[in-house]
Amino acid sequence: MSGLPGLRGNDHIGFTVPDIDEAHAFFVDVLGCVQIYRLGPFPSQGTWMSEHLNVADSTTMREIRFYRCGNGSNFEVFQYEAEDARLLPPRNSDVGGHHIALYVDDLDEAVAYLHAKGIRVLGEPTESRGPSQGQRWVYFLSPWGMQFELVSFPQGKAYETEAAVRLWDTRQ
């Protein structure tokens, strides 16, 4: 077998937010995640920040919180204090652009829920084609503008009928 020795899968997704209390309310009160624990603060110490985290040495990591959200990867949420911080989240088309996709059983029910919570949903659900046929999806934004996606494919996706290897599936 080639590749990274011992690789088992994705443990967590880490990202930075501008206000950790606002993010906490979003993850717990809107998405239904559970906070597991928190760490910090970690003030700057010599060159540790640049050597280990690729941020300016004057940066302080104010707090880290860990969340579990259903049956999937954990979230590691940071709030930093950094003089050179970029305050706008990247778009999907930007280098480093990203989104976090969450599987839901009923996409229409989940979209209605987000609307009722005042969350900005981008457009209407889209039906995928080609190998992803059977899936519907829609993007939405966190209060600080980070991109999330809801996906649902209760009957599976078209590629599964002939695939020797399937994508990891939160339904299983």
Side-chain angles (χ1 to χ4, degrees):
M1 176 182 226
S2 64
L4 187 63
L7 177 65
R8 290 186 177 239
N10 185 13
D11 178 73
H12 69 271
I13 300 167
F15 46 88
T16 300
V17 299
D19 181 326
I20 204 152
D21 292 324
E22 174 187 54
H24 177 86
F26 174 72
F27 287 113
V28 173
D29 300 338
V30 175
L31 297 183
C33 301
V34 176
Q35 180 187 317
I36 305 301
Y37 66 94
R38 66 176 69 188
L39 300 167
F42 299 102
S44 60
Q45 296 178 356
T47 60
W48 195 93
M49 289 289 186
S50 62
E51 287 178 17
H52 295 272
L53 301 174
N54 195 32
V55 300
D57 286 324
S58 60
T59 301
T60 294
M61 188 184 304
R62 188 173 139 212
E63 189 173 349
I64 309 169
R65 294 186 190 177
F66 289 84
Y67 297 87
R68 171 132 187 204
C69 299
N71 179 26
S73 187
N74 302 302
F75 294 151
E76 181 181 23
V77 182
F78 297 86
Q79 183 175 347
Y80 285 96
E81 293 173 8
E83 296 171 4
D84 61 348
R86 296 181 191 135
L87 301 179
L88 293 177
R91 298 169 298 178
N92 270 342
S93 58
D94 294 335
V95 172
H98 60 276
H99 67 276
I100 294 176
L102 304 171
Y103 186 90
V104 294
D105 293 324
D106 185 324
L107 187 68
D108 296 317
E109 179 182 35
V111 169
Y113 171 84
L114 291 178
H115 283 300
K117 290 286 192 175
I119 300 298
R120 182 174 173 210
V121 177
L122 303 179
E124 296 295 324
T126 299
E127 292 188 21
S128 296
R129 291 184 256 163
S132 293
Q133 186 172 351
Q135 172 183 273
R136 293 175 63 224
W137 59 271
V138 69
Y139 273 48
F140 66 100
L141 301 179
S142 71
W144 61 94
M146 186 172 162
Q147 299 166 127
F148 284 80
E149 178 184 10
L150 296 178
V151 299
S152 189
F153 43 94
Q155 309 306 311
K157 297 180 187 180
Y159 88 92
E160 295 172 347
T161 60
E162 298 178 11
V165 176
R166 291 184 176 189
L167 295 169
W168 182 80
D169 187 340
T170 190
R171 298 173 304 158
Q172 299 170 357

